[in-house]
Each structure stands twice: as structure tokens, then as C-alpha cells.
Amino acid sequence: MAGLQNEGHIGEETLEDLNKSTTQILNYMPNPKAFGSSFSSRGLVMGHVQSGKTTNFLGVMSKAADEGYRLVIVLSGVTNNLRSQTQERLEASIDPGQWYMLTSIESDFQRNKANAQVLLSNGAQKNIAVVKKNKSRLVSLYKWLESASAATRKALPVLVIDDECDQATV
């Protein structure tokens, strides 16, 4: 979250509030280090329009990665514009040396971009994908994940964030 402060997007008091709220959310999430591969959890965090939801999920995502979550999938709505906007915001707020980006501002998820087994079996590798809620993209993501071994998938703590839950959520 220091990246947000360094960019000048957030003041000290707001950063403290963000730190408290993201820690509170994280406390509801299972810790992969404590549970190993035998956990499943779901949750819902809601906020008002223009209330800082994206900033909040970026903070939760970063803290979850520090706790051992190694794949973050951000579902970003159904339009290229929403997906690109979310990707751009994410890229501006995280340390690129700490994450492997499976998507870019110009490119939604593409199955053949990276070897799933290699990326997902590396216990130190943090991966992130910002994916449109579009059948072909989600099928590509699914098939890419399936291309990794069952043991790798079972040992992979995944955080899925639906950034546009009011649009195209099942």
C-alpha cells in the first residue's frame, strides 16, 4: 500500500483507514499457510459508488499475497474498456517486480501466453490476471489452469475478486 501513498493518490489518514479495513477483511480469509490445501472460503465486501472499492481490493490483494495467496483473478465486467481500466489501475498501484502479469492493458487473458505448470508451481511466484466476464476468456482461463497438474492446482491458494459484481455475475 506504500505504492498508493508514493503515487500521491492517498493521504496518511486515509492510508491508515485503508490499512485497518483491509486487515479486517483479510482476517476473515483463511490463511493458506495455516490451512495448506484444505480450505475453501467465500465472502462479500460491498461499497458505495466512488467509495474506494478498487483501492480497497488492491490493498486486500496485496496483503493476501503477503499471506501466501499466489494467484489473483480479477473479474472486471464485460467490456474491454472496464477491463483495461481495472488493469491500468492495478498496474499503477502494485510493484511490477513482485507480480507476474498474465494480462496487460492491451490484452485480456490468453491461454498460450504462459506455462501454467511453471508459473503456478513456483511457491514464491505471485500471479495476477484481470479477465473480462466473457465465456471465451473464462474458458481459456479454465483450460489454462487445468493444464497445470492436479497437485499444483490443489496447492495453489487463489483469490478471485469480482470488481463488477453488478454486471454479468452468475
Side-chain angles (χ1 to χ4, degrees):
M1 286 195 294
L4 293 171
Q5 189 175 27
N6 292 342
E7 293 171 16
H9 294 300
I10 194 165
E12 186 68 37
E13 186 175 325
T14 305
L15 186 63
E16 287 178 30
D17 289 343
L18 178 63
N19 187 39
K20 287 178 188 175
S21 69
T22 54
T23 298
Q24 187 176 25
I25 293 165
L26 193 67
N27 286 338
Y28 286 108
M29 296 169 56
N31 184 325
K33 294 173 186 167
F35 288 93
S37 62
S38 62
F39 73 91
S40 177
S41 177
R42 285 137 187 90
L44 175 67
V45 178
M46 294 175 38
H48 297 287
V49 174
Q50 298 298 315
S51 64
K53 294 182 297 294
T54 302
T55 301
N56 185 280
F57 91 63
L58 290 170
V60 169
M61 178 191 84
S62 296
K63 285 184 175 187
D66 290 344
E67 293 298 316
Y69 286 82
R70 295 188 290 111
L71 174 61
V72 177
I73 300 167
V74 179
L75 302 174
S76 64
V78 296
T79 66
N80 288 329
N81 186 40
L82 283 173
R83 198 208 65 77
S84 295
Q85 183 180 41
T86 300
Q87 179 84 35
E88 183 174 21
R89 184 91 186 273
L90 191 142
E91 286 182 18
S93 301
I94 65 171
D95 179 356
Q98 299 290 317
W99 294 86
Y100 182 82
M101 303 299 291
L102 294 163
T103 55
S104 69
I105 293 171
E106 300 82 24
S107 177
D108 200 340
F109 186 81
Q110 296 174 7
R111 181 177 173 204
N112 296 325
K113 182 177 180 185
N115 183 307
Q117 181 62 36
V118 171
L119 283 176
L120 303 179
S121 63
N122 179 346
Q125 180 69 51
K126 299 177 207 173
N127 305 282
I128 187 159
V130 180
V131 183
K132 256 190 334 251
K133 288 187 259 183
N134 166 291
K135 181 181 178 184
S136 65
R137 295 298 178 189
L138 295 173
V139 167
S140 288
L141 176 63
Y142 176 80
K143 287 181 178 179
W144 181 77
L145 289 167
E146 285 287 306
S147 72
S149 71
T152 294
R153 292 191 316 269
K154 185 174 181 175
L156 179 68
V158 179
L159 174 61
V160 178
I161 297 171
D162 190 346
D163 186 34
E164 297 289 340
C165 67
D166 59 337
Q167 185 181 48
T169 296
V170 178

